[in-house]
Amino acid sequence: MTLYQNIYVRQENGSQLLAILIDPEKFEMEHAFAKAYLEKIPPQTTHLLVGGSTDCQNRTHDVVLLLKKHTTLPILLFPGNHHQISSAADGILFLSLLSGRNAEYLIGQQIKAAPVLAQTSLEVIPTGYILIDGESHTAVARVSNTLPMSQKNIPEIVHTALAGQFLGKQCIYLEAGSGARTPVSSAIVNAVRQAIDIPVIVGGGIRSRLQMEAAFEAGATMVVIGTAFEEDCWNALS
Ligand code: 1GP
């Protein structure tokens, strides 16, 4: 079974998938750090995501290799640009920024990544990426030079997700941006869930178990959490 089939089947079974996002720029390249980090993630974690809006020192591959030594969880790349590809990972969320109107992040980066991906055995998961206003200036908005969609404009967000499904995306990622003050609302997650059949990934600004559970209850297939673990505030807030 492919990684995607596994995600889809688990969605159909009503399982809740939890991905922990590791930003290569903030990860220390030491076995002890990796081991301690992986020990503190919740036992229900199903996937690791590796990536960020930037990876100035090109650490993605080394971080994936290090993680692989300490975990059997599947590692999905979550790249901010075409340089963040590691053949050591298991798959890649092949993101296309559907909420913005910057062709570079809609198709430009993907064209640059394509010949590199063709040389690997990474499973490519076409993913429609929708940036939604989380009431903070996010790296995604800055790097992609696009505006997030307003949380109030639920119909437009739903239509964007639906267009993504019709374009053949296998997942829709509703993103409030890393460190967002406000996560994507339950109303948005629920409306998107009702409109499409493919898995819905929700991330950005989720800092407590309550917020995670709210996203699942609204219909998220997978919740992604990064900052709360980097800052070690998860236990404090849960
Ligand atoms: C960001 O959705 C992810 O791309 C995770 O966001 O760092 O706020 O958890 P946080």
PDB file of all heavy atoms in Angstrom, residues 16 18 20 40-45 205-217 223 225 228-229 233-238:
ATOM      1  N   GLN A  16      -7.549   9.272  13.078  1.00  0.00           N
ATOM      2  CA  GLN A  16      -7.037  10.644  13.154  1.00  0.00           C
ATOM      3  C   GLN A  16      -5.531  10.601  12.968  1.00  0.00           C
ATOM      4  O   GLN A  16      -4.823   9.942  13.739  1.00  0.00           O
ATOM      5  CB  GLN A  16      -7.408  11.250  14.507  1.00  0.00           C
ATOM      6  CG  GLN A  16      -8.920  11.294  14.704  1.00  0.00           C
ATOM      7  CD  GLN A  16      -9.331  11.842  16.048  1.00  0.00           C
ATOM      8  OE1 GLN A  16      -8.586  11.799  17.016  1.00  0.00           O
ATOM      9  NE2 GLN A  16     -10.536  12.372  16.119  1.00  0.00           N
ATOM     10  N   LEU A  18      -1.858  12.297  12.909  1.00  0.00           N
ATOM     11  CA  LEU A  18      -1.140  13.440  13.492  1.00  0.00           C
ATOM     12  C   LEU A  18       0.273  13.487  12.929  1.00  0.00           C
ATOM     13  O   LEU A  18       1.033  12.517  13.051  1.00  0.00           O
ATOM     14  CB  LEU A  18      -1.091  13.301  15.018  1.00  0.00           C
ATOM     15  CG  LEU A  18      -0.252  14.346  15.755  1.00  0.00           C
ATOM     16  CD1 LEU A  18      -0.794  15.761  15.528  1.00  0.00           C
ATOM     17  CD2 LEU A  18      -0.198  14.044  17.246  1.00  0.00           C
ATOM     18  N   ILE A  20       3.911  15.568  12.913  1.00  0.00           N
ATOM     19  CA  ILE A  20       4.749  16.566  13.576  1.00  0.00           C
ATOM     20  C   ILE A  20       5.671  17.149  12.518  1.00  0.00           C
ATOM     21  O   ILE A  20       6.332  16.418  11.772  1.00  0.00           O
ATOM     22  CB  ILE A  20       5.578  15.912  14.714  1.00  0.00           C
ATOM     23  CG1 ILE A  20       4.656  15.263  15.745  1.00  0.00           C
ATOM     24  CG2 ILE A  20       6.488  16.947  15.365  1.00  0.00           C
ATOM     25  CD1 ILE A  20       3.640  16.173  16.397  1.00  0.00           C
ATOM     26  N   LYS A  40       9.500  12.970  22.899  1.00  0.00           N
ATOM     27  CA  LYS A  40       8.471  13.837  23.491  1.00  0.00           C
ATOM     28  C   LYS A  40       7.240  14.006  22.588  1.00  0.00           C
ATOM     29  O   LYS A  40       6.225  14.547  23.031  1.00  0.00           O
ATOM     30  CB  LYS A  40       9.071  15.194  23.878  1.00  0.00           C
ATOM     31  CG  LYS A  40       9.164  16.177  22.757  1.00  0.00           C
ATOM     32  CD  LYS A  40       9.658  17.531  23.210  1.00  0.00           C
ATOM     33  CE  LYS A  40       9.779  18.434  22.004  1.00  0.00           C
ATOM     34  NZ  LYS A  40      10.504  19.638  22.193  1.00  0.00           N
ATOM     35  N   ILE A  41       7.311  13.529  21.363  1.00  0.00           N
ATOM     36  CA  ILE A  41       6.120  13.674  20.518  1.00  0.00           C
ATOM     37  C   ILE A  41       5.053  12.685  20.980  1.00  0.00           C
ATOM     38  O   ILE A  41       5.377  11.635  21.528  1.00  0.00           O
ATOM     39  CB  ILE A  41       6.444  13.513  18.997  1.00  0.00           C
ATOM     40  CG1 ILE A  41       6.908  12.101  18.677  1.00  0.00           C
ATOM     41  CG2 ILE A  41       7.420  14.576  18.534  1.00  0.00           C
ATOM     42  CD1 ILE A  41       7.123  11.875  17.188  1.00  0.00           C
ATOM     43  N   PRO A  42       3.774  13.016  20.791  1.00  0.00           N
ATOM     44  CA  PRO A  42       2.710  12.149  21.308  1.00  0.00           C
ATOM     45  C   PRO A  42       2.752  10.762  20.674  1.00  0.00           C
ATOM     46  O   PRO A  42       3.120  10.620  19.505  1.00  0.00           O
ATOM     47  CB  PRO A  42       1.421  12.868  20.895  1.00  0.00           C
ATOM     48  CG  PRO A  42       1.813  14.218  20.470  1.00  0.00           C
ATOM     49  CD  PRO A  42       3.237  14.172  20.060  1.00  0.00           C
ATOM     50  N   PRO A  43       2.352   9.752  21.434  1.00  0.00           N
ATOM     51  CA  PRO A  43       2.394   8.384  20.916  1.00  0.00           C
ATOM     52  C   PRO A  43       1.484   8.176  19.700  1.00  0.00           C
ATOM     53  O   PRO A  43       1.710   7.270  18.911  1.00  0.00           O
ATOM     54  CB  PRO A  43       1.928   7.531  22.097  1.00  0.00           C
ATOM     55  CG  PRO A  43       1.424   8.468  23.135  1.00  0.00           C
ATOM     56  CD  PRO A  43       1.940   9.823  22.846  1.00  0.00           C
ATOM     57  N   GLN A  44       0.446   9.029  19.562  1.00  0.00           N
ATOM     58  CA  GLN A  44      -0.460   8.842  18.409  1.00  0.00           C
ATOM     59  C   GLN A  44       0.080   9.446  17.109  1.00  0.00           C
ATOM     60  O   GLN A  44      -0.600   9.434  16.087  1.00  0.00           O
ATOM     61  CB  GLN A  44      -1.866   9.374  18.710  1.00  0.00           C
ATOM     62  CG  GLN A  44      -2.007  10.876  18.754  1.00  0.00           C
ATOM     63  CD  GLN A  44      -1.918  11.426  20.178  1.00  0.00           C
ATOM     64  OE1 GLN A  44      -1.105  10.980  20.978  1.00  0.00           O
ATOM     65  NE2 GLN A  44      -2.736  12.405  20.484  1.00  0.00           N
ATOM     66  N   THR A  45       1.306   9.983  17.157  1.00  0.00           N
ATOM     67  CA  THR A  45       1.900  10.556  15.941  1.00  0.00           C
ATOM     68  C   THR A  45       2.001   9.489  14.855  1.00  0.00           C
ATOM     69  O   THR A  45       2.473   8.380  15.104  1.00  0.00           O
ATOM     70  CB  THR A  45       3.308  11.118  16.244  1.00  0.00           C
ATOM     71  OG1 THR A  45       3.185  12.074  17.295  1.00  0.00           O
ATOM     72  CG2 THR A  45       3.923  11.778  15.018  1.00  0.00           C
ATOM     73  N   GLY A 205      -0.597  27.135  13.859  1.00  0.00           N
ATOM     74  CA  GLY A 205      -1.124  27.740  15.077  1.00  0.00           C
ATOM     75  C   GLY A 205      -1.853  26.790  16.014  1.00  0.00           C
ATOM     76  O   GLY A 205      -2.519  27.236  16.945  1.00  0.00           O
ATOM     77  N   ILE A 206      -1.730  25.489  15.794  1.00  0.00           N
ATOM     78  CA  ILE A 206      -2.401  24.532  16.696  1.00  0.00           C
ATOM     79  C   ILE A 206      -1.438  24.231  17.847  1.00  0.00           C
ATOM     80  O   ILE A 206      -0.367  23.672  17.642  1.00  0.00           O
ATOM     81  CB  ILE A 206      -2.830  23.261  15.935  1.00  0.00           C
ATOM     82  CG1 ILE A 206      -3.888  23.644  14.888  1.00  0.00           C
ATOM     83  CG2 ILE A 206      -3.357  22.193  16.898  1.00  0.00           C
ATOM     84  CD1 ILE A 206      -4.300  22.543  13.961  1.00  0.00           C
ATOM     85  N   ARG A 207      -1.834  24.659  19.050  1.00  0.00           N
ATOM     86  CA  ARG A 207      -0.921  24.606  20.196  1.00  0.00           C
ATOM     87  C   ARG A 207      -1.434  23.805  21.376  1.00  0.00           C
ATOM     88  O   ARG A 207      -0.765  23.701  22.391  1.00  0.00           O
ATOM     89  CB  ARG A 207      -0.626  26.032  20.681  1.00  0.00           C
ATOM     90  CG  ARG A 207       0.250  26.802  19.745  1.00  0.00           C
ATOM     91  CD  ARG A 207       0.265  28.274  20.097  1.00  0.00           C
ATOM     92  NE  ARG A 207       1.175  28.970  19.209  1.00  0.00           N
ATOM     93  CZ  ARG A 207       2.432  29.228  19.500  1.00  0.00           C
ATOM     94  NH1 ARG A 207       2.942  28.868  20.645  1.00  0.00           N
ATOM     95  NH2 ARG A 207       3.192  29.867  18.631  1.00  0.00           N
ATOM     96  N   SER A 208      -2.631  23.290  21.266  1.00  0.00           N
ATOM     97  CA  SER A 208      -3.166  22.521  22.401  1.00  0.00           C
ATOM     98  C   SER A 208      -3.939  21.308  21.888  1.00  0.00           C
ATOM     99  O   SER A 208      -4.363  21.276  20.725  1.00  0.00           O
ATOM    100  CB  SER A 208      -4.098  23.394  23.241  1.00  0.00           C
ATOM    101  OG  SER A 208      -5.274  23.662  22.509  1.00  0.00           O
ATOM    102  N   ARG A 209      -4.127  20.372  22.789  1.00  0.00           N
ATOM    103  CA  ARG A 209      -4.905  19.189  22.423  1.00  0.00           C
ATOM    104  C   ARG A 209      -6.337  19.571  22.059  1.00  0.00           C
ATOM    105  O   ARG A 209      -6.934  18.981  21.172  1.00  0.00           O
ATOM    106  CB  ARG A 209      -4.923  18.200  23.593  1.00  0.00           C
ATOM    107  CG  ARG A 209      -3.659  17.409  23.656  1.00  0.00           C
ATOM    108  CD  ARG A 209      -3.612  16.439  24.814  1.00  0.00           C
ATOM    109  NE  ARG A 209      -2.229  16.235  25.193  1.00  0.00           N
ATOM    110  CZ  ARG A 209      -1.404  15.424  24.555  1.00  0.00           C
ATOM    111  NH1 ARG A 209      -1.819  14.721  23.536  1.00  0.00           N
ATOM    112  NH2 ARG A 209      -0.144  15.315  24.934  1.00  0.00           N
ATOM    113  N   LEU A 210      -6.842  20.592  22.743  1.00  0.00           N
ATOM    114  CA  LEU A 210      -8.206  21.037  22.478  1.00  0.00           C
ATOM    115  C   LEU A 210      -8.334  21.518  21.024  1.00  0.00           C
ATOM    116  O   LEU A 210      -9.296  21.170  20.323  1.00  0.00           O
ATOM    117  CB  LEU A 210      -8.545  22.188  23.443  1.00  0.00           C
ATOM    118  CG  LEU A 210      -9.976  22.265  23.944  1.00  0.00           C
ATOM    119  CD1 LEU A 210     -10.346  21.004  24.712  1.00  0.00           C
ATOM    120  CD2 LEU A 210     -10.150  23.504  24.827  1.00  0.00           C
ATOM    121  N   GLN A 211      -7.356  22.306  20.592  1.00  0.00           N
ATOM    122  CA  GLN A 211      -7.386  22.811  19.206  1.00  0.00           C
ATOM    123  C   GLN A 211      -7.212  21.668  18.221  1.00  0.00           C
ATOM    124  O   GLN A 211      -7.835  21.646  17.164  1.00  0.00           O
ATOM    125  CB  GLN A 211      -6.286  23.861  19.007  1.00  0.00           C
ATOM    126  CG  GLN A 211      -6.570  25.172  19.716  1.00  0.00           C
ATOM    127  CD  GLN A 211      -5.394  26.126  19.637  1.00  0.00           C
ATOM    128  OE1 GLN A 211      -4.236  25.734  19.732  1.00  0.00           O
ATOM    129  NE2 GLN A 211      -5.699  27.405  19.471  1.00  0.00           N
ATOM    130  N   MET A 212      -6.367  20.715  18.573  1.00  0.00           N
ATOM    131  CA  MET A 212      -6.162  19.562  17.693  1.00  0.00           C
ATOM    132  C   MET A 212      -7.467  18.767  17.575  1.00  0.00           C
ATOM    133  O   MET A 212      -7.892  18.421  16.474  1.00  0.00           O
ATOM    134  CB  MET A 212      -5.052  18.674  18.257  1.00  0.00           C
ATOM    135  CG  MET A 212      -4.804  17.425  17.450  1.00  0.00           C
ATOM    136  SD  MET A 212      -3.500  16.402  18.152  1.00  0.00           S
ATOM    137  CE  MET A 212      -4.357  15.624  19.508  1.00  0.00           C
ATOM    138  N   GLU A 213      -8.094  18.536  18.707  1.00  0.00           N
ATOM    139  CA  GLU A 213      -9.343  17.759  18.686  1.00  0.00           C
ATOM    140  C   GLU A 213     -10.443  18.501  17.924  1.00  0.00           C
ATOM    141  O   GLU A 213     -11.247  17.893  17.213  1.00  0.00           O
ATOM    142  CB  GLU A 213      -9.782  17.421  20.116  1.00  0.00           C
ATOM    143  CG  GLU A 213      -9.051  16.191  20.631  1.00  0.00           C
ATOM    144  CD  GLU A 213      -8.952  16.126  22.146  1.00  0.00           C
ATOM    145  OE1 GLU A 213      -9.741  16.800  22.829  1.00  0.00           O
ATOM    146  OE2 GLU A 213      -8.059  15.394  22.636  1.00  0.00           O
ATOM    147  N   ALA A 214     -10.461  19.832  18.056  1.00  0.00           N
ATOM    148  CA  ALA A 214     -11.466  20.629  17.327  1.00  0.00           C
ATOM    149  C   ALA A 214     -11.270  20.457  15.816  1.00  0.00           C
ATOM    150  O   ALA A 214     -12.251  20.316  15.064  1.00  0.00           O
ATOM    151  CB  ALA A 214     -11.355  22.099  17.714  1.00  0.00           C
ATOM    152  N   ALA A 215     -10.018  20.434  15.380  1.00  0.00           N
ATOM    153  CA  ALA A 215      -9.748  20.257  13.941  1.00  0.00           C
ATOM    154  C   ALA A 215     -10.194  18.875  13.478  1.00  0.00           C
ATOM    155  O   ALA A 215     -10.818  18.736  12.417  1.00  0.00           O
ATOM    156  CB  ALA A 215      -8.261  20.469  13.655  1.00  0.00           C
ATOM    157  N   PHE A 216      -9.927  17.851  14.292  1.00  0.00           N
ATOM    158  CA  PHE A 216     -10.363  16.499  13.921  1.00  0.00           C
ATOM    159  C   PHE A 216     -11.891  16.416  13.890  1.00  0.00           C
ATOM    160  O   PHE A 216     -12.464  15.857  12.963  1.00  0.00           O
ATOM    161  CB  PHE A 216      -9.813  15.457  14.896  1.00  0.00           C
ATOM    162  CG  PHE A 216      -8.369  15.092  14.668  1.00  0.00           C
ATOM    163  CD1 PHE A 216      -7.460  15.071  15.718  1.00  0.00           C
ATOM    164  CD2 PHE A 216      -7.915  14.753  13.400  1.00  0.00           C
ATOM    165  CE1 PHE A 216      -6.133  14.729  15.512  1.00  0.00           C
ATOM    166  CE2 PHE A 216      -6.579  14.407  13.177  1.00  0.00           C
ATOM    167  CZ  PHE A 216      -5.692  14.398  14.241  1.00  0.00           C
ATOM    168  N   GLU A 217     -12.505  16.992  14.906  1.00  0.00           N
ATOM    169  CA  GLU A 217     -13.977  16.935  14.964  1.00  0.00           C
ATOM    170  C   GLU A 217     -14.606  17.641  13.771  1.00  0.00           C
ATOM    171  O   GLU A 217     -15.655  17.247  13.276  1.00  0.00           O
ATOM    172  CB  GLU A 217     -14.484  17.561  16.265  1.00  0.00           C
ATOM    173  CG  GLU A 217     -14.633  16.534  17.375  1.00  0.00           C
ATOM    174  CD  GLU A 217     -14.807  17.175  18.732  1.00  0.00           C
ATOM    175  OE1 GLU A 217     -15.497  18.203  18.808  1.00  0.00           O
ATOM    176  OE2 GLU A 217     -14.237  16.642  19.706  1.00  0.00           O
ATOM    177  N   VAL A 223      -3.751  16.389  11.194  1.00  0.00           N
ATOM    178  CA  VAL A 223      -3.399  17.669  11.808  1.00  0.00           C
ATOM    179  C   VAL A 223      -1.875  17.748  11.865  1.00  0.00           C
ATOM    180  O   VAL A 223      -1.210  16.754  12.175  1.00  0.00           O
ATOM    181  CB  VAL A 223      -4.018  17.782  13.226  1.00  0.00           C
ATOM    182  CG1 VAL A 223      -3.426  18.957  13.991  1.00  0.00           C
ATOM    183  CG2 VAL A 223      -5.540  17.937  13.122  1.00  0.00           C
ATOM    184  N   ILE A 225       1.427  19.731  13.490  1.00  0.00           N
ATOM    185  CA  ILE A 225       1.859  20.599  14.591  1.00  0.00           C
ATOM    186  C   ILE A 225       3.378  20.747  14.544  1.00  0.00           C
ATOM    187  O   ILE A 225       4.106  19.758  14.453  1.00  0.00           O
ATOM    188  CB  ILE A 225       1.423  20.009  15.953  1.00  0.00           C
ATOM    189  CG1 ILE A 225      -0.115  19.982  16.010  1.00  0.00           C
ATOM    190  CG2 ILE A 225       1.968  20.843  17.115  1.00  0.00           C
ATOM    191  CD1 ILE A 225      -0.663  19.211  17.168  1.00  0.00           C
ATOM    192  N   ALA A 228       4.493  24.271  18.439  1.00  0.00           N
ATOM    193  CA  ALA A 228       4.197  23.877  19.822  1.00  0.00           C
ATOM    194  C   ALA A 228       5.235  22.891  20.348  1.00  0.00           C
ATOM    195  O   ALA A 228       5.541  22.888  21.538  1.00  0.00           O
ATOM    196  CB  ALA A 228       2.797  23.281  19.926  1.00  0.00           C
ATOM    197  N   PHE A 229       5.801  22.075  19.467  1.00  0.00           N
ATOM    198  CA  PHE A 229       6.818  21.133  19.915  1.00  0.00           C
ATOM    199  C   PHE A 229       8.195  21.764  19.947  1.00  0.00           C
ATOM    200  O   PHE A 229       9.001  21.472  20.823  1.00  0.00           O
ATOM    201  CB  PHE A 229       6.808  19.875  19.042  1.00  0.00           C
ATOM    202  CG  PHE A 229       5.616  19.028  19.326  1.00  0.00           C
ATOM    203  CD1 PHE A 229       4.528  19.050  18.497  1.00  0.00           C
ATOM    204  CD2 PHE A 229       5.567  18.259  20.477  1.00  0.00           C
ATOM    205  CE1 PHE A 229       3.407  18.309  18.792  1.00  0.00           C
ATOM    206  CE2 PHE A 229       4.451  17.513  20.785  1.00  0.00           C
ATOM    207  CZ  PHE A 229       3.360  17.539  19.932  1.00  0.00           C
ATOM    208  N   CYS A 233       5.836  23.852  24.357  1.00  0.00           N
ATOM    209  CA  CYS A 233       4.705  24.373  25.122  1.00  0.00           C
ATOM    210  C   CYS A 233       3.513  23.428  25.070  1.00  0.00           C
ATOM    211  O   CYS A 233       2.492  23.680  25.684  1.00  0.00           O
ATOM    212  CB  CYS A 233       4.303  25.754  24.621  1.00  0.00           C
ATOM    213  SG  CYS A 233       3.806  25.749  22.914  1.00  0.00           S
ATOM    214  N   TRP A 234       3.644  22.338  24.322  1.00  0.00           N
ATOM    215  CA  TRP A 234       2.507  21.424  24.143  1.00  0.00           C
ATOM    216  C   TRP A 234       2.012  20.906  25.503  1.00  0.00           C
ATOM    217  O   TRP A 234       0.854  21.007  25.829  1.00  0.00           O
ATOM    218  CB  TRP A 234       2.941  20.260  23.251  1.00  0.00           C
ATOM    219  CG  TRP A 234       1.864  19.269  23.010  1.00  0.00           C
ATOM    220  CD1 TRP A 234       1.729  18.045  23.569  1.00  0.00           C
ATOM    221  CD2 TRP A 234       0.751  19.411  22.110  1.00  0.00           C
ATOM    222  NE1 TRP A 234       0.619  17.416  23.089  1.00  0.00           N
ATOM    223  CE2 TRP A 234       0.002  18.225  22.189  1.00  0.00           C
ATOM    224  CE3 TRP A 234       0.338  20.430  21.256  1.00  0.00           C
ATOM    225  CZ2 TRP A 234      -1.148  18.026  21.459  1.00  0.00           C
ATOM    226  CZ3 TRP A 234      -0.817  20.229  20.523  1.00  0.00           C
ATOM    227  CH2 TRP A 234      -1.538  19.046  20.625  1.00  0.00           C
ATOM    228  N   ASN A 235       2.946  20.387  26.307  1.00  0.00           N
ATOM    229  CA  ASN A 235       2.530  19.833  27.594  1.00  0.00           C
ATOM    230  C   ASN A 235       1.977  20.899  28.518  1.00  0.00           C
ATOM    231  O   ASN A 235       1.030  20.680  29.252  1.00  0.00           O
ATOM    232  CB  ASN A 235       3.703  19.113  28.256  1.00  0.00           C
ATOM    233  CG  ASN A 235       3.969  17.807  27.528  1.00  0.00           C
ATOM    234  OD1 ASN A 235       3.043  17.175  27.032  1.00  0.00           O
ATOM    235  ND2 ASN A 235       5.222  17.414  27.450  1.00  0.00           N
ATOM    236  N   ALA A 236       2.573  22.085  28.446  1.00  0.00           N
ATOM    237  CA  ALA A 236       2.114  23.171  29.303  1.00  0.00           C
ATOM    238  C   ALA A 236       0.683  23.572  28.978  1.00  0.00           C
ATOM    239  O   ALA A 236      -0.086  23.931  29.853  1.00  0.00           O
ATOM    240  CB  ALA A 236       3.032  24.370  29.125  1.00  0.00           C
ATOM    241  N   LEU A 237       0.326  23.489  27.711  1.00  0.00           N
ATOM    242  CA  LEU A 237      -0.999  23.957  27.292  1.00  0.00           C
ATOM    243  C   LEU A 237      -2.043  22.863  27.226  1.00  0.00           C
ATOM    244  O   LEU A 237      -3.225  23.153  27.143  1.00  0.00           O
ATOM    245  CB  LEU A 237      -0.893  24.619  25.909  1.00  0.00           C
ATOM    246  CG  LEU A 237      -0.168  25.964  25.889  1.00  0.00           C
ATOM    247  CD1 LEU A 237      -0.075  26.466  24.457  1.00  0.00           C
ATOM    248  CD2 LEU A 237      -0.898  26.980  26.735  1.00  0.00           C
ATOM    249  N   SER A 238      -1.618  21.641  27.244  1.00  0.00           N
ATOM    250  CA  SER A 238      -2.607  20.578  27.025  1.00  0.00           C
ATOM    251  C   SER A 238      -3.358  20.241  28.308  1.00  0.00           C
ATOM    252  O   SER A 238      -2.984  20.636  29.386  1.00  0.00           O
ATOM    253  CB  SER A 238      -1.946  19.344  26.445  1.00  0.00           C
ATOM    254  OG  SER A 238      -0.935  18.904  27.313  1.00  0.00           O
TER     255      SER A 238
END
